[in-house]
Amino acid sequence: GQAVRFARVCLEESVKHAMRRKTFGKKLIEHPVIRFKIAEMARQVEATQAMLESLTYQMNTMTKEEQNLKLGGDTAMLKVQATKVYEYCARESQQILGGISYVKGGLGEKVERLGREVRAYAIPGGSEEIMLDLSVRQAMKLSKVLKQKM
């Protein structure tokens, strides 16, 4: 949840900066490449948020037994998705903010901090490769269980 929120903060800071900063006689937001970066960040953040909300709904409506059987793989996949989107948004936000994203203070301080801390979310939660493998193994296990019930 925090990784998705931090990705969204990077997006929000990028939009604010692009609306106020001028380059080559026009605002950054008027440059197509900047709009593309913002749109791509928004697409990824919104998709990941939807995934998080879907998983949360399932957790609230399933029994513990169902959760253990069905949600382990999806949870692992969401962890990978959220941290990859956070990393992407931190990097793109740094590109949009430029030099101010490397200063501990001022207009770019949020992006500076988030960019510095991004790997602290990806690494401790488990290797992306292991999480994705877990997701596939969980799906295979669930498939076997469901076939046996038919």
Side-chain angles (χ1 to χ4, degrees):
Q2 274 187 317
V4 178
R5 180 65 194 133
F6 289 156
R8 188 176 298 279
V9 169
C10 289
L11 171 60
E12 291 167 354
E13 291 299 306
S14 296
V15 170
K16 282 195 278 189
H17 181 73
M19 297 292 281
R20 72 176 167 252
R21 176 83 164 104
K22 284 190 174 183
T23 61
F24 305 108
K26 56 184 176 179
K27 290 184 179 184
L28 269 182
I29 198 74
E30 294 174 22
H31 296 280
V33 70
I34 300 299
R35 288 195 307 270
F36 175 81
K37 286 178 178 294
I38 289 170
E40 186 61 18
M41 285 193 292
R43 180 188 66 79
Q44 291 186 34
V45 168
E46 293 303 328
T48 306
Q49 181 73 42
M51 199 174 173
L52 175 61
E53 290 176 12
S54 174
L55 189 63
T56 302
Y57 174 79
Q58 291 174 65
M59 287 174 62
N60 285 318
T61 58
M62 289 181 176
T63 65
K64 274 286 189 211
E65 185 179 277
E66 282 180 298
Q67 290 175 23
N68 291 337
L69 179 65
K70 298 178 180 177
L71 298 182
D74 287 349
T75 302
M77 195 180 320
L78 176 59
K79 184 266 176 199
V80 173
Q81 174 69 14
T83 56
K84 280 183 170 270
V85 168
Y86 174 20
E87 274 189 290
Y88 177 82
C89 289
R91 185 182 70 244
E92 291 299 294
S93 189
Q94 288 170 331
Q95 287 292 114
I96 292 170
L97 272 71
I100 67 168
S101 68
Y102 291 98
V103 178
K104 287 184 178 182
L107 295 174
E109 81 177 307
K110 286 181 187 176
V111 172
E112 184 278 328
R113 182 179 48 83
L114 293 172
R116 185 170 20 96
E117 295 175 357
V118 69
R119 294 304 296 158
Y121 279 79
I123 294 168
S127 158
E128 291 170 354
E129 295 81 7
I130 299 299
M131 292 288 114
L132 292 174
D133 182 60
L134 170 67
S135 178
V136 172
R137 286 185 291 118
Q138 185 77 24
M140 291 167 44
K141 181 180 172 182
L142 182 57
S143 177
K144 284 181 184 178
V145 169
L146 293 176
K147 282 182 183 175
Q148 289 173 355
K149 288 186 178 182
M150 294 176 124

